Amino acid sequence: MAELLRVQGYGATGVKQVAAAAQAPIGSIYHHFPGGKREIAAAVLRTTGAAYIQLVPLLLDPYDDLVAGVGAFFEAAADDMENTGWANMCPVGTVTGEVADSEPGIRAVAAEVIGSWVDDASAYLVGRGVADPDARAVVFAMLGSLEGAFILSRGLRSSEPLRAAGRAMAAYVATVPQGAPARS
C-alpha cells in the first residue's frame, strides 16, 4: 500500500487493489486490518515514516560539512524523482495533502509521523553541532522545501524545483551557527 499511496494517493487506492498488489485474499487483508483502508493507511504511514527519517543520517553522514550534505540530500531527491518517472517521493506528504480535511484520523497519524521526523531530525542536527532552536527551524525549512519541491517537480516533470530548493536550503544552513559536533 505504501507504493500505491505514494504514486496515486489515498482516494484512488482501494483495498481490492492492495490485496491484489500483496497477492493476498481480500479476507486476509480485513482479518489483519478490520478497520479497512483507514487502518492500513495509518499503519503504512507509521511504517514508511519511520523508514524515511532514516534517510537523514544516511544521506548526511558522509559529509563533514553540513551545508554540502544538505545540498547533496536535495540532489539525491532530484535524481530519485527523475529516475522514478516523477512519482511522488513521499507517501506521508501525498496523503497528508490529500486528506487533511476529510480524514481526521489519518491526518492525526500524519501529524504524529511528521512530529517524529521533526524531533528525530532535530536531535540529529543537534548532534551535528546545530543548537536546538536552530535545528528545529532547519528541519521545518527542509521538510517544507522538500515536500513543496516534490509537488512542483512532479507537476512540472522537472528536477529544477528540487535542485533550486537544495541550493536555497544549503545557503540557509550556511547562515545557521554550528558548534562542534556532539557525535564521535
Side-chain angles (χ1 to χ4, degrees), residues 13-156:
T13 301
V15 175
K16 286 182 183 178
Q17 194 176 20
V18 172
Q23 298 178 340
I26 197 160
S28 293
I29 301 293
Y30 280 109
H31 173 76
H32 292 287
F33 298 96
K37 180 175 164 176
R38 285 181 182 100
E39 187 176 350
I40 299 167
V44 164
L45 291 179
R46 287 182 177 111
T47 302
T48 57
Y52 277 40
I53 192 60
Q54 298 305 311
L55 292 173
V56 172
L58 181 71
L59 293 171
L60 294 180
D61 276 354
Y63 298 90
D64 290 333
D65 177 24
L66 191 55
V67 173
V70 167
F73 187 101
F74 279 81
E75 286 292 322
D79 291 344
D80 284 346
M81 198 151 195
E82 284 179 346
N83 294 334
T84 61
W86 311 107
N88 195 341
M89 299 307 296
C90 181
V92 177
T94 300
V95 172
T96 302
E98 180 183 1
V99 303
D101 295 326
S102 61
E103 292 283 347
I106 299 298
R107 189 217 49 83
V109 171
E112 169 192 317
V113 170
I114 294 166
S116 72
W117 285 350
V118 171
D119 292 344
D120 292 351
S122 294
Y124 173 83
L125 291 177
V126 167
R128 293 286 303 256
V130 178
D132 188 40
D134 291 329
R136 287 184 67 79
V138 168
V139 171
F140 278 121
M142 282 185 66
L143 284 173
S145 295
L146 189 62
E147 295 293 347
F150 282 153
I151 292 167
L152 295 175
S153 289
R154 189 173 190 198
L156 295 170

